[in-house]
Amino acid sequence: MRAGDALPPLEIPVARTLIVAGAVASRDDQDVHHDAEAAREKGSPDVFMNILTANGPVGRYVTDHFGPRAVLRKVAIRPGAPNHPGDTMTLTGTVAEVAGGPEGTVTALVRIAGANGLGHHVTGTVTVEVPR
């Protein structure tokens, strides 16, 4: 692993079930995440994914790449364009920094972006620790 290494893209289909289940699991009862009519009344064409739900695929993307012994130490992501049902979010990442970690591990800072048909749904960084 070296700074500049790109992670292969990962496509996440944005299903209505994913949006609603993610809102329920994260205890986000905002109606725009589960009630299409309420979302339209507030100016959105449909329900949309909350940032807590987006956190799951971001973590999966990094741990799938670095393996089952990878440990996420920090996830710092920001929301952008909404993820609506029927779209696809494509996650991409690049290793920005690599440093020695505690007790035989390596820590990497990975820059992440998750884009859909409207733009970047999520951007930020993930710090991951992996065995040497």
Side-chain angles (χ1 to χ4, degrees):
M1 162 182 24
R2 284 184 254 165
D5 288 352
L7 282 64
L10 174 65
E11 291 186 353
I12 305 291
V14 181
R16 183 174 306 277
T17 304
L18 174 61
I19 293 169
V20 174
V24 170
S26 63
R27 297 182 177 185
D28 185 343
D29 62 357
Q30 292 293 313
D31 55 7
V32 295
H33 302 306
H34 62 82
D35 184 334
E37 185 177 320
R40 283 191 288 277
E41 287 173 3
K42 294 179 178 175
S44 179
D46 205 338
V47 296
F48 55 92
M49 184 181 287
N50 69 13
I51 193 65
L52 297 170
T53 302
N55 197 46
V58 166
R60 170 190 161 199
Y61 177 56
V62 173
T63 58
D64 279 1
H65 179 75
F66 289 100
R69 295 179 56 205
V71 177
L72 301 180
R73 291 298 181 195
K74 182 177 179 182
V75 178
I77 56 176
R78 296 173 295 287
N83 265 341
H84 293 291
D87 208 341
T88 299
M89 176 174 62
T90 303
L91 292 164
T92 56
T94 304
V95 176
E97 299 172 15
V98 178
E103 300 182 27
T105 64
V106 175
T107 301
L109 178 72
V110 182
R111 296 201 187 287
I112 299 288
N116 61 32
L118 298 173
H120 284 109
H121 170 68
V122 64
T123 56
T125 59
V126 175
T127 303
V128 60
E129 188 178 287
V130 296
R132 286 185 191 253

